[in-house]
Amino acid sequence: MTNPTSRTPRRSHIKSRNGCATCKRRHLRCDETLPQCQNCTKYNCRCPYQDILENEQRDLTPKRPNLLWTLEIEADIRSWQQTGRPPFPSLHLFPAIPFEHCSLEDLRLIHHVASISSAFCTHDSNSFTIWVRHVPLFLKIGATYSFVMHSLLALSGSHLAWLTGCPLTANIAFKHRGIALKGLYGAIGSFLRENSDAVLAASLLLLWQATEWRDWTRLMHGTSSIIDAMQPWKNESQFEDFIVEKSTFSTAPPSPDACFNYSKQADLDALQLASAQLRRVEAYLVEKKEGTEAISQLITFVQRLQMLSPSDTTTQRFDMLDPLRTWLLWVPVMYMRRPQIPLPAFVVLAYYYTVALIVEPLFPEIGAAYFGSLSLNAIEEIVKRLFSVDVPRNSRVDLNIALSLIAYPMDMAYKFRIRMGLVQLERVTTFPHSFTLTSCMPNLGKSIS
């Protein structure tokens, strides 16, 4: 006989201890789905979870731009404001920068690029980068032409944004680029011999920073036209080195939706050879107990290029190149700002610049040759430095290994000069000390076999 007081056992269930406030108020079981639980979706009401997520995101968003302030930098700028004497007198800035018209934020951006330039001058490393050696000239011209100064402030902001990953810092760079572009277009409308260096300076600075295909191609075409116009007085220009053969620039950029023909097999084979050489460098860094992140990302980049498709549009190919263009601007600064530059740093940078030379034939329509030409000088300067290094006898093995790895960038630079019809420099054909790489580093040979 059934006990009349007995009850059917309650079916077990999972309790919702973190349910949204609406479900708790209605005594409903919340499924805790973010950002909108199913009950709130069913009854067409805003779920309190969304407020929680927004608050969390708001907490993660920086309150102010990260400009890497330090007490030393604050003191430098305070002294500049009080005395009128800018930091880094070694740059010999004249005419003086009108600091009284600059905000504290702008002075920080000027200080950032000036400090990099000063450090590179002190260490005699200016020639190992694309842009640092020109900072004093940009500052000199920017003291007179505000649109040039805004172009340089944008470059400084872009570098700080790359270092910090701060979106507010990137917004500062974006703001200065907009002001610079407006001023540049106005100066182009009244282009004269007297302001031609300023127009070219801003064009170059903004061209280096362009991340969108349409912006880049307009600046590329404009820079080419400016260089053509400056040919009659190119020897008087402060940018004589930049006024190069017209073939370096794309004079008729294709449509952003245009497709490309199949790449030459020789160019694709060059990528495979580059991958093999990069693996040797990676093994060398492992052997030397150096970080491999920089060379590993370059290997991945080259491997992706090997999957190029003829159906890729101009915009898609430009986007493929964007990581390399960014690295060429910022990675050398990261490596070369140290007082004592280790041999592996020279090797890694030489290979970054060499990849720029190798990919040029794959992207002729979008002017990859432009960065290739700028990379050429950096490679040759790195080679000169390594061949001039005076090391103790017990360190010659390390130097010889670095020179062996530099042989490939040397060869690519030589071939690039031939392809571009540039004047040939005297080619170094022998190393100061004969050796074999595997005899110096047996484990390296095993790593790359």
Side-chain angles (χ1 to χ4, degrees), residues 55-69:
N55 290 333
E56 290 177 350
Q57 291 171 353
R58 194 176 296 115
D59 291 339
L60 293 174
T61 302
K63 301 294 188 298
R64 54 187 296 186
N66 186 351
L67 299 180
L68 297 180
W69 284 97

Side-chain angles (χ1 to χ4, degrees), residues 7 21 23 56 65 71 79 87 98 102 139 169 174 209 212 217 224 229 232 234 272 293 326 359 391 404-405 438:
R7 296 181 179 177
C23 288
E56 290 177 350
L71 293 176
S79 174
C102 297
L139 288 169
T169 307
F174 180 80
Q209 300 173 65
E212 299 292 335
T217 191
S224 177
K234 63 181 180 180
Q272 292 184 351
E293 181 181 355
T326 301
V359 303
V391 297
S404 172
L405 294 168
T438 53

